[in-house]
Amino acid sequence: MGARVAILMLSVLAPMLVWTPAEAETTEVVDRAAAAPANGTELVLGGDISTLRAPARLGPSRVVGGAWRTFNVTAPSGVPDDGVAAVVLDGTVSTARGAGSILARPRGSTSGGAPLLEYRPTGGRGLTVVKVGRDGGIQLRSSGGTPTASVRVVAWLPETTSFRVDEGPARTSARVGTTPRTVVVPGVPDEAGSVLLQLTRTARRSGTLHSWAVGEARPAQGLAFGTGTSSVVDVAAVGEGGAIRLQSSRGQADVAIRVLAWSPTDSSLTARPDRLLATIRAGRTRAVPVADAAGVPGEAQHVWASLTAPAGARVRVWGDATGTGVPVHDWRADGSATSVLVPVPPGAKIAVRVTGTTADSRLVAHGFDLDRANQQLVLEPRVGTHLLGWGDVESLRGTTLVLARTADPVAAGNHLQVRGSDGLPYTLEAVTTGSAGSGRQTVEVTPATLSEAFADIRLTYGTATGPPATEAHPKRQAGRAAVNSALGASLGLGNWSCSAGGSAPAFDLTFSGDPYLDVNLSAGTFDFSIKGQLTSTAEWSGSQVVSCSYERQFAQIPLGTTPVAIKLGPTATFTVDPHGEQATVTATSTQRLYASLYYDGGEPIVGRALNADASSDAALGPGSAMLDIGLKVALGPASLAEVELGPEVSATLGASYVLAPPDPSADPDGRHLAGPRCTDITNTLFLSFGASLLVPFLPDVSLDIARFDTEPVTLHRGPCVGYEGTITYRVQGSDIDGALNCNTVNEPCSDWNHTVVKTLTPGPASFISWGVMQPYTWTWTGRQRTFVKNWHGGGNWNRLCTTVYDYNGVGSVGWATEAAYPSPEGWSVPTIFTGGTAQQLQAEMAVGHGRGTHVTTVTDHAPEDGFPCGASGTGEAAMPGYVMTTDEAGGGEIWRQQIIVVADYGAEPPDIGTATFNLTRREYARN
């Protein structure tokens, strides 16, 4: 559980979501289980909490005795008769014979209750949240002192609320001093995102109590307490493990901590460190901003605050900035902080006046809730349908439901809308019922569709958004603010089924996105879209052929306070053929998706926009692999763990990733590329809708929508191995057996000395069975000498003529148009060396039909003999072709081996040649 915490209460101000006295007088709302009209009666529900425009009194002021007394909290004007999970009460004691507490609990509970307020003989004031019990009732009593009290309902929580309010608040206590102390709040699960606490302080001295989350800074403002015992409601930021920090400004104090309610992280509530909204000067009416101030945004609907005034002062609070008419709150201060729930009015200001003192008072904000403008909900339950909140459900295991003693009884055949302990909304039918003891009830249930439980459903969740392309939606409503509509889940993990002997990949799948849903059952319209990002990672290594499939497991996420859950189910298959060698597969992909379906009785309108990326670190070597990923997005009531999925609206967005070495036939140069990360990832995306489409929402509609597939796209082209550097060839010899040159030969002789340098163009090379090819530039320098001699007698040879041929050539060789194999002439095949293995390497000095120029210089040493020596001149020359062979080719990342070769050309005299490799092997991106 993170440190993010939300405030106590939500308000719904949209007209269709607000209960007003006038609406209550004209709308019949009854207990569905008892008696209902033929089509039920509409329940207008919306956010997590709804405040009343005018607090509703539970009868006139009266003496509250020591015995539990039952009150019907659904009777006051503005509170519906059904569908109420809890109420927010404030109470004021005007007089009492002694100090004590007024306690509250739901009807049917056997708990000791929780304090509504603490009082002294001079009076007292407080606020609490109480679960509504059977027949819409709560119970009140006093601990002593016969107080005269007035109790009001200031807000109510619908059964669909994301807040959990239990029968009896979890409680702990701590001795708190001037040194900060860490206290673990009981009964708060890890999934909680907000916690509403009641802090009751008992001390002989007045002081200030600070509360804050572990790891955060202590807020400057705190909760003021007088002497004796007093309580205040705080929106606490709870850290990991449910811990908070407490500190007293002076002396020691005993603090009781009760959890009135908590909500998950996706609620619209937000906690803020205690911040000062305003300082109230005595005797003045001040218009105080309660939004766009002290860290409270303008979109806030309610502010949870406390006001601290000197003991004996009269405090009045109006619901607007005028300060006229009857105040919403009016009490005598006792010097302690007093909690108030402040709906944000038009203009975002309220009026506050403090009299009967000369000292200043302080109004402090503890948190707020945002407008749930992105959610609207109207339910019309059928006869026998019960709406049950979190606090009504003790457990839901398999198909057995255990109801709390405070829940209304359920009969077989009834339908239930249940928000379980996991926060998910379940729509169920009661099959049989029984007793769990202590007034609790067991119910065997089976899944039901929404249309079976409700005669009408009109709901909106999220913000209508069009696809990122030009595919405009014709009928979407626009302009709604998106508030907390994002959802996310980690979907990968285990349950792979693999072929014998095969190992499953390490796999993870995460999704984050924004859903939108707009349904009107009676009008027969359905509008759904989802826009988000799906990220997957897979790692595998081995040498065996493997084929694996992944068994789907649903992650279910509630859509706000609606009776609908979104279900995200991953599917995946993985196959790899490592070609008999040890291979490694690593791949990361991101799929951005948009899918929508709109139906209003005509032809369905489908929107889709799919694309995907792959990380630059995808690798495969050697072999090939395939990873199919599917994300099934389903809508409907939450699914029971041990029950087959019922009808649901579903869309599957899939991606097929193929990892393989590059295909030479698809390469523009026909290259056979290779390397440990020389991998292509191609991707095909698809979108399909479920066969039982719309049945959970529109039971008479089943659509047949064809699957949509994208064209395959290459997402990733991994780097491939190539070389850079030089290969230097040198060939030296003569036509005299045993002579390297003609320098010491006393007979007619020719010798030659050629050097060819190939400088590789850095980039990927092509590896084929008989060689390695890569573009290069080349230079050729050489000299050939011919000595013409005759026998002069006496053992001497006379040199008649000397002809020297000086050769020079430069050029370049690139990829041939059909370079997978060389052309017959070998004209533009960029072969740099050949041979099948690292132990057998051949290097061709020639560059096909590469040509250079020659300069011929002729010297006539004995012109008097009349021997024709020829003429000097220039011309073209063809490069000689020599093949040099070695048994040691070198290897590794760097090639720097000099290869000394003796090539025997049959009857020809041998040449002495060297081939010097000065190459670096690297990975190169492909163009």
Side-chain angles (χ1 to χ4, degrees):
M1 178 177 59
R4 178 182 177 274
V5 170
I7 184 179
L8 163 67
M9 303 178 180
L10 282 166
S11 171
V12 184
L13 296 185
M16 69 179 296
L17 303 179
V18 176
W19 280 83
T20 65
E23 288 172 332
E25 293 169 0
T26 58
T27 304
E28 180 185 4
V29 183
V30 299
D31 184 347
R32 309 286 176 251
N39 293 322
T41 302
E42 185 175 281
L43 286 174
V44 182
L45 307 170
D48 291 298
I49 190 168
S50 199
T51 51
L52 303 181
R53 294 181 177 177
R57 295 183 181 275
L58 295 181
S61 298
R62 68 189 71 194
V63 174
V64 179
W68 289 107
R69 181 170 180 175
T70 300
F71 295 85
N72 184 357
V73 295
T74 61
S77 178
V79 180
D81 290 344
D82 196 11
V84 180
V87 290
V88 182
L89 303 178
D90 77 3
T92 302
V93 170
S94 55
T95 61
R97 295 181 181 178
S101 304
I102 292 182
L103 305 173
R105 71 180 187 184
R107 183 181 184 184
S109 172
T110 59
S111 71
L116 165 60
L117 61 88
E118 312 287 345
Y119 54 84
R120 301 177 179 84
T122 55
R125 178 179 170 81
L127 186 145
T128 194
V129 179
V130 183
K131 182 184 181 302
V132 173
R134 294 188 175 184
D135 299 323
I138 66 165
Q139 294 182 319
L140 301 175
R141 76 173 183 89
S142 69
S143 61
T146 58
T148 299
S150 172
V151 179
R152 306 184 302 175
V153 178
V154 298
W156 60 278
L157 285 70
E159 294 284 12
T160 55
T161 183
S162 62
F163 265 82
R164 178 171 181 121
V165 182
D166 288 317
E167 172 187 339
R171 181 187 185 279
T172 190
S173 60
R175 173 66 63 88
V176 179
T178 55
T179 300
R181 177 172 179 178
T182 300
V183 179
V184 176
V185 177
V188 179
D190 291 341
E191 61 268 22
S194 63
V195 180
L196 180 67
L197 299 178
Q198 183 183 67
L199 304 177
T200 302
R201 177 184 181 272
T202 302
R204 296 180 179 180
R205 303 173 65 185
S206 62
T208 300
L209 183 68
H210 294 272
S211 69
W212 68 97
V214 175
E216 295 184 0
R218 194 197 80 171
Q221 303 295 324
L223 300 165
F225 286 89
T227 58
T229 300
S230 55
S231 298
V232 69
V233 174
D234 186 28
V235 184
V238 178
E240 292 293 335
I244 62 171
R245 301 275 278 171
L246 294 175
Q247 183 182 14
S248 177
S249 63
R250 54 190 297 191
Q252 297 284 325
D254 293 320
V255 179
I257 305 162
R258 295 178 176 87
V259 178
L260 299 179
W262 61 268
S263 68
T265 54
D266 62 350
S267 70
S268 63
L269 307 176
T270 304
R272 282 288 183 268
D274 301 339
R275 297 186 183 182
L276 183 66
L277 280 170
T279 298
I280 313 299
R281 305 296 183 189
R284 301 178 182 177
T285 300
R286 178 172 178 183
V288 178
V290 292
D292 275 334
V296 180
E299 298 82 8
Q301 289 296 293
H302 304 90
V303 179
W304 193 249
S306 66
L307 195 149
T308 303
R314 183 183 180 186
V315 180
R316 282 168 285 184
V317 179
W318 287 266
D320 55 27
T322 62
T324 59
V326 178
V328 177
H329 303 288
D330 189 346
W331 76 89
R332 287 285 178 183
D334 61 3
S336 298
T338 300
S339 297
V340 287
L341 176 64
V342 181
V344 178
K349 290 184 178 181
I350 63 172
V352 181
R353 182 177 177 85
V354 181
T355 57
T357 182
T358 59
D360 294 340
S361 302
R362 292 181 296 114
L363 182 64
V364 175
H366 304 291
F368 60 88
D369 75 276
L370 293 171
D371 180 12
R372 275 223 190 242
N374 68 323
Q375 176 181 303
Q376 300 181 24
L377 176 62
V378 175
L379 299 177
E380 186 178 329
R382 296 188 185 276
V383 174
T385 294
H386 297 258
L387 275 70
L388 301 176
W390 281 22
D392 294 322
V393 179
E394 288 193 359
S395 66
L396 176 57
R397 296 185 177 92
T399 59
T400 302
L401 181 69
V402 178
L403 300 182
R405 62 175 63 89
T406 55
D408 286 329
V410 170
N414 288 165
H415 285 91
L416 312 176
Q417 178 61 54
V418 174
R419 189 165 295 273
S421 58
D422 52 10
L424 291 168
Y426 296 87
T427 303
L428 308 169
E429 181 181 356
V431 179
T432 61
T433 64
S435 174
S438 303
R440 300 173 302 157
Q441 189 178 20
T442 61
V443 185
E444 286 296 316
V445 296
T446 188
T449 66
L450 291 168
S451 57
E452 290 173 335
F454 298 99
D456 194 13
I457 300 173
R458 301 195 298 277
L459 71 85
T460 299
Y461 179 88
T463 301
T465 58
T470 58
E471 192 173 357
H473 198 293
K475 299 181 179 181
R476 287 274 174 85
Q477 299 182 29
R480 298 192 184 97
V483 179
N484 294 327
S485 61
L487 55 90
S490 178
L491 306 173
L493 301 173
N495 291 335
W496 284 93
S497 175
C498 296
S499 56
S503 59
F507 181 70
D508 190 38
L509 191 67
T510 59
F511 173 78
S512 62
D514 293 280
Y516 171 77
L517 179 63
D518 189 286
V519 176
N520 190 317
L521 178 60
S522 57
T525 62
F526 177 87
D527 190 357
F528 170 70
S529 69
I530 188 165
K531 185 177 184 179
Q533 179 170 291
L534 183 66
T535 300
S536 65
T537 60
E539 295 183 5
W540 178 89
S541 63
S543 58
Q544 296 184 8
V545 175
V546 174
S547 178
C548 299
S549 61
Y550 180 76
E551 296 180 6
R552 182 180 63 206
Q553 289 183 332
F554 270 108
Q556 302 188 99
I557 303 171
L559 289 187
T561 63
T562 73
V564 177
I566 189 166
K567 311 167 192 180
L568 305 175
T571 61
T573 59
F574 174 77
T575 60
V576 61
D577 181 1
H579 294 180
E581 299 184 37
Q582 186 70 22
T584 299
V585 175
T586 62
T588 300
S589 66
T590 299
Q591 180 183 346
R592 294 187 300 274
L593 56 89
Y594 172 87
S596 67
L597 174 64
Y598 179 83
Y599 176 80
D600 63 355
E603 288 295 321
I605 300 173
V606 177
R608 51 194 172 242
L610 309 168
N611 57 71
D613 298 323
S615 79
S616 60
D617 196 29
L620 170 69
S624 60
M626 185 273 291
L627 176 64
D628 274 353
I629 300 169
L631 174 67
K632 184 174 182 180
V633 181
L635 292 172
S639 299
L640 296 174
E642 299 180 7
V643 178
E644 290 290 330
L645 295 176
E648 59 197 4
V649 175
S650 66
T652 300
L653 299 110
S656 178
Y657 300 94
V658 177
L659 292 78
D663 182 1
S665 65
D667 187 89
D669 297 314
R671 298 171 295 181
H672 293 249
L673 302 174
R677 297 197 300 157
C678 187
T679 303
D680 279 350
I681 300 182
T682 57
N683 171 248
T684 302
L685 301 174
F686 66 87
L687 170 63
S688 63
F689 289 95
S692 58
L693 204 62
L694 302 189
V695 171
F697 300 95
L698 308 180
D700 299 326
V701 178
S702 181
L703 302 178
D704 183 15
I705 300 176
R707 169 172 161 153
F708 170 78
D709 289 84
T710 64
E711 291 294 326
V713 175
T714 299
L715 302 177
H716 172 71
R717 292 154 55 92
C720 300
V721 166
Y723 301 89
E724 61 183 75
T726 61
I727 304 175
T728 302
Y729 307 86
R730 186 176 181 183
V731 177
Q732 185 178 8
S734 74
D735 59 359
I736 303 300
D737 190 14
L740 184 63
N741 53 53
C742 297
N743 293 344
T744 60
V745 175
N746 289 321
E747 59 181 297
C749 178
S750 294
D751 64 14
W752 47 83
N753 192 338
H754 293 283
T755 300
V756 175
V757 178
K758 294 182 178 179
T759 301
L760 273 59
T761 303
S766 180
F767 295 82
I768 53 180
S769 61
W770 50 265
V772 180
M773 297 189 297
Q774 189 169 333
Y776 57 85
T777 59
W778 57 271
T779 62
W780 167 36
T781 60
R783 170 168 282 192
Q784 180 175 329
R785 300 181 301 175
T786 299
F787 298 92
V788 178
K789 299 180 181 182
N790 62 0
W791 180 258
H792 194 264
N796 295 319
W797 288 84
N798 289 333
R799 185 167 58 174
L800 301 180
C801 303
T802 301
T803 303
V804 178
Y805 302 89
D806 288 307
Y807 298 94
N808 285 282
V810 294
S812 62
V813 177
W815 295 112
T817 304
E818 300 290 339
Y821 297 97
S823 59
E825 298 82 11
W827 173 259
S828 58
V829 178
T831 305
I832 56 175
F833 44 86
T834 62
T837 68
Q839 286 71 41
Q840 293 293 326
L841 187 70
Q842 294 180 341
E844 286 195 46
M845 188 180 75
V847 288
H849 288 184
R851 303 180 69 83
T853 61
H854 69 83
V855 177
T856 305
T857 304
V858 178
T859 304
D860 190 344
H861 298 286
E864 66 278 5
D865 290 350
F867 186 87
C869 288
S872 299
T874 60
E876 291 189 356
M879 287 182 59
Y882 293 92
V883 177
M884 291 163 283
T885 306
T886 181
D887 288 334
E888 283 293 334
E893 294 300 323
I894 301 177
W895 293 48
R896 299 195 188 281
Q897 174 130 1
Q898 186 179 64
I899 304 171
I900 300 176
V901 185
V902 177
D904 187 356
Y905 292 96
E908 296 290 333
D911 297 325
I912 303 301
T914 62
T916 302
F917 287 71
N918 189 5
L919 300 178
T920 301
R921 183 170 59 189
R922 293 179 177 167
E923 288 184 326
Y924 296 93
R926 287 177 273 164
N927 50 22

